[in-house]
Amino acid sequence: MDFIEKNWDLIKETLRNEYDLSDISYNTWVKPLSFHSVRDDVVTIMIPSDQAHALKYISSKYKSYFQVTISEMMDHTYDISFVLESDVNNNNDEMMSQPGTVYNINYENANLNPKYRFDTFVVGNNNKFAHSASLAVAESPGEAYNPLYLYGGPGLGKTHLMHSIGHFVLDQNPDRKVLYVTSEQFTNEVIESIRSGNAAKMNKFREKYRTVDVLLIDDVQFIIGKESTQEEFFHTFNVLHSAGKQIILSSDKPPKELETLEERFRSRFEWGLIADIQPPDYETRMAILKKNAENYNKVISEDIFDYIATNIKSNIRELEGAYNKVIAYSRLNNVEITLDNVKEALKDIISPDASRQVTPQLIINIVAEHFGIKPEDIVSKRRNSEFVLPRQICMYLCRMLLDESLQSIAKSLNKKDHTTVIHGIDKITEDIKTNEELKNRIDVIMKKINPA
Ligand SMILES: Nc1ncnc2c1ncn2[C@@H]1O[C@H](COP(=O)(O)OP(=O)(O)OP(=O)(O)O)[C@@H](O)[C@H]1O
């Protein structure tokens, strides 16, 4: 504990080197941050009052950097929270009960993506019902429908809607405790608590999950069948539900189609409301593309949107990926966005048979999204630790899922030499033999790439 405080400057310097921060980023955002406290394995960092406007930005951008740096230096896992210096100074002793601070801490702990809000969600015929059910739950958590069970195919907006509910609840009442987790995070935390054999750790896990007002668990199908995780989830569900706390689950199928789902889960999932999201129709696809283009500083003609919306039908993640690829192609090659250029840019994605194909690019996109980084980071030369693992996972998955040579995988990942690819594949192959969390993570990614 002392170590963190005494070595605060060293921690910041290490973070700066580890993540290759430019002088301007370091001096603006990281250097002014001071140490506040460590309590229950949570390191609280103070943001100067004159940077109050940047609180969200700093915490979304630098939280994981601090978490990794401190946890690695201390050889122990810490969580990170941020507070404003003014909130601390206004009432030192009761900092945790100051509304401003509680809001910040609750917001940080909720694990929400700032981009996924109701106002960035395009409502169409395919998702109207799920959208209005989500809004009703957000307006009256624990009262309207409990649990809310959202289901639909990959990339159709379930996660986006779940985060929107979380944001809405916190915007309405900053004192509420909201927690979004993927099933993978939940599973890994259960595994970690059990493996540690430490009762205090298990209690901490239970306290974390059983004291929230709104719990959002994404892709719950990955919990089903994992014995101890499913047991823990069952008890969490019961405790929260009987206390009138809101539970929101997402899955790729309705409860009745989850083959290995036990009756006790099926009946509970059906207590509240089940809402599906279907693939978007043409109008919704066009509206989503246009919403994406709102921040682009040039006009994109209607035929471009039409080409993308006509050819990519069943997955909004892929629709957005195609749009991003077009913008990147035009910037990198310094060419206008004409229909011919768009066809060239998307030739790997929009194939003549137009069916969903597993390609290196799809693997890169899904892995990048899973780790919250950009596809460009995966194919870049940067060796930061946050990019190396996703890159190696891409190499491994390309080998497992595609019939491609090592040279061709190296090319897709922008590597000159295929020995790096061999090393990446070997590393993951070895690591998954002993690292259950990594294996679980790769299973989840694989199912997202190829749900069949
Ligand atoms: N209706 C919508 N309006 C705007 N963006 C959308 C909409 N639906 C989905 N998206 C965008 O599509 C991408 C994929 O959506 P999301 O991650 O929510 O899908 P998902 O259903 O959770 O997929 P998976 O089951 O693979 O996890 C996100 O970037 C999301 O913002």
Side-chain angles (χ1 to χ4, degrees):
M1 211 179 277
D2 257 6
F3 180 91
I4 299 180
E5 185 166 14
K6 278 197 202 125
N7 291 284
W8 187 240
D9 288 338
L10 175 68
I11 289 172
K12 289 194 286 187
E13 278 300 327
T14 310
L15 181 150
R16 173 194 207 162
N17 294 333
E18 193 66 24
Y19 292 98
D20 241 353
L21 297 189
S22 63
D23 288 349
I24 180 139
S25 304
Y26 178 77
N27 291 329
T28 314
W29 305 119
V30 177
K31 199 163 170 220
L33 301 176
S34 51
F35 171 85
H36 176 266
S37 58
V38 185
R39 196 192 292 173
D40 296 338
D41 292 344
V42 178
V43 179
T44 303
I45 299 173
M46 259 189 317
I47 298 179
S49 312
D50 60 2
Q51 287 203 329
H53 61 283
L55 182 126
K56 264 190 209 164
Y57 175 73
I58 294 174
S59 40
S60 68
K61 170 102 184 155
Y62 292 102
K63 183 175 169 171
S64 64
Y65 291 4
F66 273 104
Q67 184 169 24
V68 171
T69 308
I70 296 177
S71 302
E72 278 181 0
M73 286 174 82
M74 302 293 292
D75 203 14
H76 179 82
T77 308
Y78 284 94
D79 213 343
I80 305 293
S81 78
F82 290 88
V83 284
L84 279 177
E85 206 173 290
S86 50
D87 288 334
V88 175
N89 294 339
N90 284 346
N91 192 341
N92 214 0
D93 295 338
E94 288 176 335
M95 186 194 97
M96 294 305 173
S97 62
Q98 283 293 308
T101 310
V102 170
Y103 171 77
N104 300 333
I105 286 176
N106 282 350
Y107 206 91
E108 296 324 319
N109 290 344
N111 200 15
L112 300 175
N113 182 333
K115 281 194 312 195
Y116 294 167
R117 291 176 156 274
F118 280 125
D119 52 14
T120 53
F121 189 84
V122 174
V123 183
N125 287 332
N126 61 314
N127 57 29
K128 213 187 257 169
F129 180 57
H131 173 265
S132 55
S134 299
L135 191 59
V137 161
E139 283 169 346
S140 314
E143 291 169 23
Y145 312 108
N146 202 11
L148 173 64
Y149 183 104
L150 299 170
Y151 76 90
L156 292 183
K158 301 179 291 294
T159 305
H160 191 136
L161 268 183
M162 296 177 94
H163 285 249
S164 307
I165 299 173
H167 282 296
F168 191 96
V169 169
L170 281 171
D171 289 347
Q172 294 294 301
N173 184 350
D175 290 341
R176 286 218 168 99
K177 275 170 107 181
V178 171
L179 177 61
Y180 165 88
V181 281
T182 60
S183 305
E184 182 196 339
Q185 283 166 270
F186 186 85
T187 306
N188 287 344
E189 285 183 44
V190 175
I191 295 172
E192 183 55 32
S193 311
I194 293 174
R195 194 173 39 201
S196 75
N198 178 338
K201 196 153 190 172
M202 190 41 117
N203 287 341
K204 202 168 156 244
F205 166 86
R206 291 190 175 139
E207 192 189 319
K208 170 175 170 186
Y209 282 94
R210 296 181 188 184
T211 56
V212 295
D213 298 302
V214 178
L215 178 65
L216 304 120
I217 301 197
D218 210 349
D219 288 323
V220 73
Q221 73 273 16
F222 295 127
I223 287 182
I224 305 309
K226 296 199 168 92
E227 234 170 78
S228 33
T229 310
Q230 131 175 331
E231 215 45 44
E232 203 50 51
F233 169 65
F234 182 70
H235 294 297
T236 306
F237 185 104
N238 289 342
V239 169
L240 289 178
H241 197 273
S242 53
K245 306 299 186 186
Q246 180 69 47
I247 300 158
I248 297 134
L249 306 169
S250 83
S251 174
D252 59 344
K253 296 190 184 86
K256 65 175 180 330
E257 284 176 27
L258 287 175
E259 280 151 22
T260 52
L261 188 66
E262 292 171 22
E263 189 47 41
R264 58 182 176 146
F265 284 105
R266 195 184 315 278
S267 62
R268 278 168 176 75
F269 290 174
E270 288 171 353
W271 275 345
L273 183 74
I274 299 175
D276 69 319
I277 307 186
Q278 293 295 324
D281 54 21
Y282 174 79
E283 285 72 25
T284 312
R285 299 199 295 277
M286 288 293 273
I288 290 172
L289 286 171
K290 288 179 182 172
K291 183 124 193 139
N292 271 281
E294 275 172 7
N295 297 328
Y296 188 60
N297 53 9
K298 290 188 194 158
V299 177
I300 299 178
S301 64
E302 197 73 6
D303 59 335
I304 306 291
F305 292 128
D306 173 70
Y307 179 73
I308 304 176
T310 306
N311 285 288
I312 298 182
K313 297 189 174 130
S314 58
N315 184 319
I316 296 168
R317 182 176 298 118
E318 284 168 23
L319 192 71
E320 285 186 339
Y323 167 81
N324 291 336
K325 195 155 189 203
V326 165
I327 303 294
Y329 181 90
S330 138
R331 283 201 178 124
L332 290 173
N333 298 301
N334 205 10
V335 294
E336 292 298 313
I337 302 183
T338 60
L339 192 54
D340 282 343
N341 287 335
V342 169
K343 285 183 181 166
E344 179 60 25
L346 300 182
K347 65 178 190 299
D348 296 339
I349 298 178
I350 299 177
S351 56
D353 69 1
S355 61
R356 177 183 156 107
Q357 278 190 340
V358 179
T359 59
Q361 191 59 48
L362 181 74
I363 293 176
I364 293 169
N365 289 349
I366 292 182
V367 172
E369 189 189 71
H370 187 86
F371 282 91
I373 60 176
K374 297 200 203 85
E376 299 87 271
D377 296 328
I378 291 193
V379 294
S380 75
K381 301 256 175 291
R382 300 178 66 193
R383 299 214 29 88
N384 304 25
S385 53
E386 66 181 306
F387 306 142
V388 173
L389 177 66
R391 197 174 288 144
Q392 290 176 334
I393 292 181
C394 285
M395 294 170 182
Y396 174 82
L397 291 174
C398 283
R399 192 62 174 168
M400 297 292 292
L401 302 175
L402 306 171
D403 188 19
E404 291 207 8
S405 66
L406 292 166
Q407 282 80 358
S408 154
I409 297 174
K411 192 159 167 257
S412 306
L413 286 153
N414 202 19
K415 293 276 163 223
K416 277 204 201 101
D417 186 357
H418 70 275
T419 50
T420 324
V421 176
I422 297 176
H423 170 73
I425 297 169
D426 287 350
K427 174 98 179 49
I428 299 294
T429 310
E430 269 314 300
D431 286 356
I432 52 177
K433 288 185 189 155
T434 50
N435 184 337
E436 209 178 333
E437 287 180 23
L438 180 66
K439 185 171 178 310
N440 183 30
R441 171 165 257 183
I442 291 180
D443 281 351
V444 169
I445 298 174
M446 265 202 201
K447 281 191 194 141
K448 287 204 167 173
I449 294 170
N450 194 352

